[in-house]
Amino acid sequence: MIVWICFLAMIFLFLALDLGIFNKTPHEISSKEAGKWTAIWITLSFLFSIVVYWLYQNNYIENPDQLKPTVASMKYITGYLIELSLSIDNIFVIAIIFSSFRIPKKYQHRVLFWGIIGAIVFRGIMIYFGVLIIKKFAWTTYLFGAFLIYTAIKMFFKKEDHEYDPHNSVFYKYLKKLTPITTKIENEHFFVKINNINTATPLFVTLFLIELMDIVFALDSVPAILAITSDPFLVFSSNIFAILGLRSMYFFLANMLEKFSYLEYSLIAILCFVGLKMIFHHFVQLPEWASLLFIVTALLSGIITSIQKDKKHKKS
């Protein structure tokens, strides 16, 4: 428990520094600033694999699967890359929600900050029950695997243009029944008093929708990482580091998503791979380096192909 407490304390310290010092004053996040923070978070995430090695080498953390330190580190990195890659679609939806409610760029960081607090809580709950279900009912791994393959097939055949409109969503209509909503943005406030009635601003509406969208996306990402490992600490830590880097990655990638058109196929390949891995885990035991190599290759292939296509398009 000491390791868990220290890890959570470290995460909340990062978040406190983020909001209390680095982003105390609302401002528009430039691509340069976002790129710097994206690099910092990715570096910290990979460096944490060394901490994982140290924890498992010295038996400072419960090790229910009796993982060797090297295997534990590789599982953490593999899980982190899966979570990070599956965040791409999440970024696109966040961009649509912000655009739909016309949230000024200087307030978007605040919304995403509080969204991450909620995401940490909800992911923790989903991971806890996901691990519990798999440990208690081993046959559910087949269901999770089939669900991931179904998701991949659905992604492959979906329309290219994203037609999602937050105003038409069931969640938005439900929120309108719960609280009055104003279309006016009042600085960085989530609620304002109008005729002595607490009224939700567009900032709270976007926070509410982003939170719910994260839960929806977690239905894919949590089973995906459970295909790699059911060790609670590895699943939770890789998830959290991917979530923490999502904000800066959003500001860095939001305006460049169209350039990475082939990355969608990388995500489909990764979902199919982890889905099949779950279904055939009793018959085929892949070494950890093979899983990691496949995921890295899939991501790099999608990125490189997208960049080459973009260059050819510019030339023509």
Side-chain angles (χ1 to χ4, degrees), residues 107-289:
Y107 297 136
Q108 291 179 6
H109 180 276
R110 178 176 172 80
V111 174
L112 290 177
F113 174 87
W114 290 108
I116 279 179
I117 298 291
I120 289 173
V121 175
F122 288 124
R123 289 290 178 101
I125 294 170
M126 293 181 76
I127 288 167
Y128 174 78
F129 284 107
V131 171
L132 198 68
I133 289 169
I134 281 183
K135 295 285 187 184
K136 199 152 184 130
F137 308 102
W139 54 268
T140 55
T141 55
Y142 300 114
L143 292 180
F144 284 142
F147 176 72
L148 291 176
I149 293 171
Y150 166 74
T151 303
I153 293 170
K154 207 165 78 168
M155 284 175 67
F156 184 78
F157 288 106
K158 77 176 180 181
K159 294 179 181 178
E160 287 187 8
D161 55 328
H162 294 255
E163 299 176 349
Y164 174 69
D165 183 0
H167 292 90
N168 294 330
S169 69
V170 176
F171 303 130
Y172 178 72
K173 292 173 182 177
Y174 177 71
L175 182 62
K176 286 180 73 175
K177 294 178 181 178
L178 293 178
T179 179
I181 296 173
T182 178
T183 56
K184 189 178 179 183
I185 294 173
E186 297 285 347
N187 296 322
E188 55 184 15
H189 299 299
F190 289 116
F191 284 91
V192 292
K193 287 273 189 182
I194 297 179
N195 298 325
N196 290 321
I197 298 173
N198 272 332
T199 305
T201 67
L203 262 68
F204 179 77
V205 176
T206 54
L207 174 62
F208 178 77
L209 291 173
I210 287 171
E211 208 68 79
L212 288 171
M213 286 299 104
D214 181 74
I215 294 172
V216 171
F217 279 105
L219 294 175
D220 295 336
S221 64
V222 172
I225 195 172
L226 289 174
I228 304 301
T229 178
S230 58
D231 183 295
F233 184 74
L234 296 179
V235 175
F236 185 71
S237 57
S238 57
N239 248 274
I240 297 309
F241 271 106
I243 291 171
L244 288 173
L246 181 62
R247 288 166 307 155
S248 52
M249 191 174 288
Y250 163 75
F251 292 110
F252 184 62
L253 290 179
N255 298 322
M256 299 190 293
L257 285 176
E258 295 300 327
K259 293 182 180 179
F260 297 101
S261 55
Y262 282 94
L263 201 55
E264 190 87 358
Y265 295 104
S266 297
L267 305 186
I268 292 169
I270 290 170
L271 283 174
C272 284
F273 173 76
V274 294
L276 290 170
K277 194 171 186 285
M278 292 189 94
I279 291 172
F280 294 105
H281 72 285
H282 281 307
F283 311 101
V284 181
Q285 293 292 328
L286 287 176
E288 291 311 314
W289 63 263

Side-chain angles (χ1 to χ4, degrees), residues 96-116:
I96 292 173
I97 292 173
F98 278 146
S99 174
S100 181
F101 290 96
R102 297 178 182 177
I103 304 299
K105 289 185 177 180
K106 66 178 180 178
Y107 297 136
Q108 291 179 6
H109 180 276
R110 178 176 172 80
V111 174
L112 290 177
F113 174 87
W114 290 108
I116 279 179

